[in-house]
């Protein structure tokens, strides 16, 4: 009999099937790979003002709380470069708007209805779904500054007063990233107008000025290829004022000698075995890397501390101004 042939452009039907089948399987395989391939997580911060919900509040000390802020989804990461920070929007208290005064002085925010406060989180992209802010609640008090003057804070801090009234389920508004300094990793810092690479990083922090130092050190210690060493002098008034002490001590242990924390207190308890008093030249000489083109000193804290305890002492010890970076 006659053989019936069906052709596809001159191709035998059987040949077409044999060609189409592997092509179809290949296409299906590619589609599956694309579908199953890990997709980059969504990023929360985009330099626009964002509304975010407080997921949890934990009391860390008598005047410090950890606020856990939920991001959009469980996969969403914050997207904050190391060394940068975010802005928290806070309403200017009514008593300040009415009187034009805050802490017995003219309102430093000049009567704005809303003020901005900058914070460096203690978590980053390694914790998808949330970000943690450690906030010191500056309540009304009298305090002694590094230049020796006593200052009375009759009203305390605006951001602390605002956040102290917040509970899980409430919302805050934040924006970022902001800031002029960035740690690119493995000793490389992007600073205003220049990029420098060093091997030894000294750090001096006071109070909540710890958080940028912790952020940089954590990122470096997580990177097994980062060989830089970090030495921190952390100054506080009392032992209860030390922020994130467990995190610091754990980081020192994990670092295998690459990170060291030195604590100093104005009012130490009985039996205190660490440093005492404001940051001094002798403390810097003992605890931080010496002046060198391979050394960078990072500083963050109250302006009098940075000016009198840090910069002035560093200059007298021979550190160049280009080796000093204030956060």
């Amino acid at each position: 009999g006659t053989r019936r042939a069906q052709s596809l452009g001159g191709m035998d039907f059987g040949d077409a099937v044999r060609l189409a089948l592997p092509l179809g399987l290949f296409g299906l395989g590619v589609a599956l790979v694309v579908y199953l391939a890990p997709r980059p997580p969504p990023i929360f911060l985009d330099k626009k003002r964002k509304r975010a919900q407080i997921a949890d509040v934990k009391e860390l000390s008598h005047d410090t709380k950890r606020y856990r802020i939920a991001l959009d989804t469980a996969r969403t990461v914050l997207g904050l470069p190391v060394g940068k920070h975010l802005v928290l929007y806070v309403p200017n208290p009514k008593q300040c708007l009415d009187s034009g005064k805050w802490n017995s002085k003219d309102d430093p925010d000049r009567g704005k209805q809303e003020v901005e406060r900058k914070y460096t989180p203690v978590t980053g992209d390694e914790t998808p779904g949330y970000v943690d802010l450690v906030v010191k609640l500056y309540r009304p008090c009298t305090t002694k500054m590094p230049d020796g003057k006593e200052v009375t804070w009759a009203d305390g801090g605006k951001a602390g007063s605002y956040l102290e009234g917040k509970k899980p389920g409430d919302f805050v508004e934040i924006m970022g990233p902001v800031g002029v300094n960035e740690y690119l990793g493995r000793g490389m810092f992007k600073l205003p107008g220049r990029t420098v690479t060093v091997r030894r990083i000294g750090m001096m922090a006071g109070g909540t000025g710890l958080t940028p130092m912790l952020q940089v050190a954590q990122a470096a210690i997580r990177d097994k290829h980062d060989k830089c060493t970090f030495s921190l002098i952390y100054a506080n008034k009392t032992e209860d004022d030390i922020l994130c002490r467990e995190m610091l001590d754990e980081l020192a242990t994990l670092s295998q000698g690459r990170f060291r924390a030195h604590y100093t207190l104005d009012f130490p308890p009985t039996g205190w075995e660490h440093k005492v008093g404001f940051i001094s030249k002798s403390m810097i000489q003992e605890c931080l890397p010496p002046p060198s083109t391979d050394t960078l000193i990072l500083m963050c804290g109250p302006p009098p501390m940075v000016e009198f305890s840090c910069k002035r002492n560093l200059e007298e010890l021979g550190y160049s101004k280009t080796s000093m970076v204030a956060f």
Side-chain angles (χ1 to χ4, degrees), residues 174-193:
I174 60 176
M175 185 275 290
V178 294
V180 297
N181 302 319
E182 183 178 349
Y183 184 53
L184 303 176
R186 301 176 192 182
M188 185 178 291
F189 288 82
K190 186 179 179 183
L191 307 172

Side-chain angles (χ1 to χ4, degrees), residues 41-55 68-79 127-131 171-174:
I43 295 173
F44 187 77
L45 294 177
D46 57 5
K47 294 193 176 181
K48 296 176 184 175
R49 186 163 172 158
K50 308 290 285 284
R51 191 166 182 256
Q53 190 171 37
I54 296 173
R68 177 158 293 178
I69 299 172
L71 306 179
D72 288 332
T73 72
R75 289 185 66 244
T76 302
V77 297
L78 184 64
T127 60
Y130 69 88
V131 59
F171 285 85
V172 292
E173 295 196 1
I174 60 176

Side-chain angles (χ1 to χ4, degrees), residues 113-129:
Q113 292 291 318
E114 186 177 64
V115 299
E116 301 175 4
R117 294 295 182 262
K118 293 170 183 167
Y119 288 95
T120 303
V122 297
T123 60
D125 291 357
E126 77 283 357
T127 60

Side-chain angles (χ1 to χ4, degrees), residues 116-170:
E116 301 175 4
R117 294 295 182 262
K118 293 170 183 167
Y119 288 95
T120 303
V122 297
T123 60
D125 291 357
E126 77 283 357
T127 60
Y130 69 88
V131 59
D132 283 349
L133 295 181
V134 172
V135 179
K136 196 174 184 69
L137 309 170
Y138 290 100
R139 300 188 180 103
C141 67
T142 298
T143 186
K144 189 175 182 180
M145 305 304 285
D147 59 3
K149 294 179 181 176
E150 282 198 346
V151 177
T152 298
W153 304 98
D155 302 306
K158 294 179 181 180
S161 300
Y162 170 70
L163 286 172
E164 195 160 16
K166 293 290 183 182
K167 59 186 184 301
D170 290 341

Side-chain angles (χ1 to χ4, degrees), residues 277-313:
F278 296 144
I279 295 173
S280 64
K281 282 189 283 189
S282 61
M283 273 188 217
I284 292 171
Q285 286 177 307
E286 180 185 344
C287 303
L288 301 188
S292 162
T293 55
D294 220 12
T295 293
L296 201 66
I297 306 295
L298 313 182
M299 305 165 285
C300 191
M305 186 204 92
V306 173
E307 290 302 319
F308 295 99
S309 295
C310 300
K311 288 182 179 178
R312 181 180 291 179
N313 285 331

